[in-house]
Amino acid sequence: MDLLRWTIAFLILALCAAVLGFGGISADFAYIGKILFFIFLVLLVISLVFGRGRGPRL
């Protein structure tokens, strides 16, 4: 969940920078946020696939 929090933080920073007129740094923050989001999705899918074998068996 920390990775998702970092993603949201970078996207909020990108919005604030865009509102204040800092276009270059806003694009950088948005790019970093996008990369972190895709890393989060990949890790989520991996954990769902490999986490299925665990748990109580009846």
Side-chain angles (χ1 to χ4, degrees):
M1 291 308 280
D2 287 335
L3 191 61
L4 190 58
R5 287 184 190 157
W6 277 104
T7 302
I8 292 170
F10 273 107
L11 293 178
I12 288 172
L13 285 172
L15 284 173
C16 291
V19 167
L20 294 175
F22 299 107
I25 199 161
S26 173
D28 292 339
F29 281 143
Y31 182 70
I32 292 171
K34 197 183 309 184
I35 288 173
L36 289 176
F37 180 71
F38 285 122
I39 291 172
F40 171 76
L41 284 180
V42 168
L43 291 176
L44 177 70
V45 169
I46 289 172
S47 68
L48 288 175
V49 168
F50 289 116
R52 283 196 166 176
R54 298 180 193 178
R57 293 187 182 209
L58 300 174

